[in-house]
Amino acid sequence: MASSLKLPPGHGVLALGFIMLIRSLLVSGATVGFNYGTQMSVVPSASQVVRLVKVQHMNSIRLYDANSSILKALGGTEVEVSVGIPNTQLLSIGQSKASAAKWVQSNVLPFLPNTNITSIVIGEEVFTALPNAALVLLPALNYLYSALLANNLHNQVRLSTSLSTSIILDSFPPSQAFFNKSLNNLMLPMLSFLSQTGSYVMLNVDTYSIYKASKGVISLEYALFKPLSPGVEAVDSNTLLTYTNLFDAVLDSAFYALARLNFSKLPVVVSATGWPYQGDSTLDADATMENAATYNSNLIARVVNNTGTPKHPRLPINTFILELFSEDLKAGPAFTRHYGLFNASTLLPTYLLRLTGSGQLLSNDTTNGLFCVAKPGADDDTLQIALDWACGIGQANCSAIQPGMLCYEPDTVSNHASYAFDAYYQANGASPDSCTFDGAAVVTTTNPSYGACLFPGSMWNSTSLGAGNVTLSRNTSFSGASNSTTVDGSSNHNSNGACFECMPQHWSGRALLIFGLIVSWLA
């Protein structure tokens, strides 16, 4: 192994902390949030959900109701939380100022400031789903605002309601779009309220339903953000703007519709969008895991890169993806019950996402789990310093990369650093700040294990997303036990380290992994 260089005591920790501070101050793009509902036969505990949110580096969650367990569990995480008020509670709040004040007192005040509640969404597509209650929507918004104002929260917590794109008529070309004029007497005062309170319009962009209803007029490639040949792209004949995907066209139709009502400066947040991975075997042939992965991967890339739309290029558009878990008890067509990114029973991803430029968001997007490895292109000197810190001060279990051990070959700084980084990362609960190493490391979803060399992440990741010690056999513990690095570069490891040589030689890597997962689950 290359010669070691020990960092001065505390300097590595300070450097890592400084890097995380800088990262926290940088905004890479608009926010990608995730909808969370509980209409499912298996509901994970609040602690499991929050653990998943943290492991997946999610920064924004939209709850369909005031789930007190989740709200409490999200305390201290800094995750932005949008709390929903179901349509079933709309009449009560919209008819009584006291009811609105009581709702805020019960569902907002107890959780602030520990839980980062940033918005309240009252009603879901009220104009179309519950038209008889639409008359009380504005009073409900006003009553809730009064309650927030009374508690000096009106600048911290925004109020809005989600709208269906079906109220936008003549939506293509987008420049011709307008809101259903029969709703103007309700829409205008509501939009005025949102504008005056510094809030935003929330729009459910149901791309799949729009594509399906077109009966072949809209191509699958156009709906999934796939590259189109020049002749297939859609052009707005009035503005000559070119549209390469359905999502942009729907958003711009909303922007033009808002402009017709003189609310062109009112921001738009996508309150729900996604693609089902399954549906009716006859009616939903395009509801597949591959298409769901393509849609959500391309969507996330566009959002975090601030791609914007043809009408508003580079405009950040915060977007909530439908949804964290599939709600198998939800009423409606079969496809509505198959949007979940994760399995509610196992907490494992439903399908593989292909993400680029999204940082650590959804970095655990495969069943292989999270791994921390040497960043491609990092120079050997930087990697060596970080490697020495991980195996020394960082107390990562580096016994597997000692001469003669299973992960020693290939004997390169990059390979050894990758193993050490992952050992440190897994021992520290896969927390975001444990995979920085002054910019020399990166989180990946690709399992770096090879041959008989199993990286720690292969053995730490289990269906429960637990971070406890995993003991496979006598003297074989993956606990990130302490190590020390000597001045001459050799490493001394204590008896609590992973004893790879103690493993039966005839065990295959896959057998070891399966056995480890079983023991982890039983523990």
Side-chain angles (χ1 to χ4, degrees):
M1 188 182 293
S3 62
S4 300
L5 176 62
K6 190 183 257 187
L7 291 177
H11 283 210
V13 175
L14 289 174
L16 289 172
F18 180 73
I19 292 293
M20 289 308 299
L21 174 61
I22 294 299
R23 287 189 175 188
S24 70
L25 297 176
L26 297 178
V27 178
S28 60
T31 299
V32 176
F34 301 86
N35 287 282
Y36 173 65
T38 56
Q39 295 185 60
M40 44 192 166
S41 51
V42 177
V43 181
S45 68
S47 61
Q48 287 178 313
V49 174
V50 174
R51 161 71 173 157
L52 178 67
V53 168
K54 292 168 65 177
V55 167
Q56 299 295 339
H57 310 289
M58 300 177 188
N59 297 316
S60 182
I61 293 292
R62 180 183 172 219
L63 308 178
Y64 291 142
D65 57 16
N67 187 319
S68 59
S69 297
I70 295 292
L71 285 170
K72 183 177 180 180
L74 284 168
T77 65
E78 298 185 0
V79 173
E80 294 184 353
V81 183
S82 176
V83 183
I85 298 179
N87 290 348
T88 53
Q89 298 179 27
L90 178 59
L91 284 174
S92 172
I93 293 176
Q95 292 178 336
S96 169
K97 189 173 184 179
S99 294
K102 183 179 180 180
W103 189 93
V104 170
Q105 185 175 10
S106 301
N107 300 295
V108 176
L109 297 184
F111 306 102
L112 293 176
N114 202 31
T115 301
N116 187 20
I117 298 175
T118 59
S119 67
I120 298 170
V121 182
I122 180 163
E124 188 77 9
E125 300 185 351
V126 175
F127 293 139
T128 51
L130 199 64
N132 291 336
L135 290 173
V136 299
L137 179 58
L138 183 62
L141 288 167
N142 278 312
Y143 291 156
L144 286 168
Y145 184 79
S146 295
L148 293 175
L149 182 64
N151 290 281
N152 199 30
L153 296 173
H154 57 293
N155 290 322
Q156 176 182 341
V157 181
R158 301 300 179 190
L159 292 167
S160 191
T161 186
S162 71
L163 304 176
S164 167
T165 55
S166 64
I167 67 175
I168 302 174
L169 305 181
D170 202 7
S171 58
F172 200 89
S175 60
Q176 294 182 184
F178 59 92
F179 288 112
N180 188 329
K181 294 180 180 179
S182 67
L183 299 174
N184 278 2
N185 62 323
L186 298 172
M187 285 287 294
L188 286 170
M190 184 201 70
L191 294 175
S192 294
F193 171 87
L194 297 179
S195 178
Q196 292 168 8
T197 58
S199 189
Y200 36 76
V201 172
M202 300 191 77
L203 191 68
N204 289 344
V205 182
D206 190 355
T207 316
Y208 177 75
S209 293
I210 296 172
Y211 159 74
K212 184 179 176 182
S214 76
K215 299 184 182 300
V217 174
I218 296 174
S219 72
L220 182 61
E221 292 73 19
Y222 185 73
L224 297 177
F225 303 93
K226 285 188 173 182
L228 304 175
S229 59
V232 181
E233 295 174 342
V235 178
D236 188 319
S237 57
N238 299 317
T239 62
L240 300 182
L241 292 175
T242 299
Y243 289 87
T244 60
N245 65 82
L246 180 58
F247 183 78
D248 283 355
V250 172
L251 281 179
D252 270 358
S253 70
F255 287 130
Y256 280 108
L258 286 169
R260 291 190 189 285
L261 297 180
N262 296 318
F263 288 98
S264 58
K265 295 184 179 180
L266 194 59
V268 172
V269 169
V270 176
S271 43
T273 189
W275 196 277
Y277 61 85
Q278 189 177 321
D280 185 279
S281 57
T282 303
L283 303 176
D284 300 300
D286 293 316
T288 66
M289 288 191 180
E290 175 62 26
N291 288 341
T294 298
Y295 182 86
N296 285 323
S297 297
N298 290 334
L299 171 72
I300 291 172
R302 294 182 67 81
V303 174
V304 300
N305 291 329
N306 290 340
T307 303
T309 68
K311 177 174 171 58
H312 295 297
R314 308 305 302 167
L315 176 70
I317 301 174
N318 294 338
T319 300
F320 288 91
I321 293 179
L322 189 68
E323 59 188 329
L324 201 57
F325 305 109
S326 292
E327 296 184 89
D328 60 318
L329 302 182
K330 184 184 291 185
F335 70 86
T336 62
R337 294 183 284 279
H338 296 92
Y339 276 91
L341 294 177
F342 295 88
N343 184 298
S345 299
T346 66
L347 303 186
L348 292 175
T350 306
Y351 49 78
L352 169 68
L353 291 175
R354 298 173 290 273
L355 303 179
T356 56
S358 60
Q360 292 186 320
L361 175 66
L362 289 182
S363 53
N364 183 19
D365 55 15
T366 78
T367 54
N368 293 331
L370 291 162
F371 301 89
C372 180
V373 297
K375 186 175 183 179
D379 66 86
D380 282 357
D381 289 341
T382 301
L383 291 176
Q384 184 66 58
I385 293 173
L387 166 62
D388 293 336
W389 186 92
C391 295
I393 296 175
Q395 298 187 334
N397 191 328
C398 298
S399 58
I401 53 176
Q402 300 305 308
M405 295 292 98
L406 294 176
C407 298
Y408 178 72
E409 297 290 348
D411 181 16
T412 65
V413 175
S414 178
N415 179 63
H416 291 175
S418 287
Y419 187 93
F421 292 172
D422 196 50
Y424 179 82
Y425 180 62
Q426 304 301 337
N428 286 277
S431 63
D433 58 348
S434 61
C435 186
T436 54
F437 295 99
D438 291 344
V442 64
V443 172
T444 180
T445 59
T446 301
N447 191 335
S449 302
Y450 56 91
C453 174
L454 291 181
F455 270 56
S458 299
M459 297 162 281
W460 278 76
N461 288 290
S462 70
T463 56
S464 64
L465 290 178
N469 294 348
V470 181
T471 302
L472 297 184
S473 61
R474 180 176 57 87
N475 297 328
T476 308
S477 172
F478 299 95
S479 59
S482 95
N483 307 294
S484 62
T485 304
T486 62
V487 176
D488 64 1
S490 61
S491 296
N492 299 320
H493 308 281
N494 68 17
S495 59
N496 292 326
C499 181
F500 284 84
E501 67 271 26
C502 300
M503 296 181 183
Q505 295 300 310
H506 63 277
W507 282 17
S508 68
R510 182 177 296 275
L512 286 173
L513 174 57
I514 293 173
F515 184 73
L517 292 177
I518 292 173
V519 175
S520 170
W521 178 72
L522 291 174

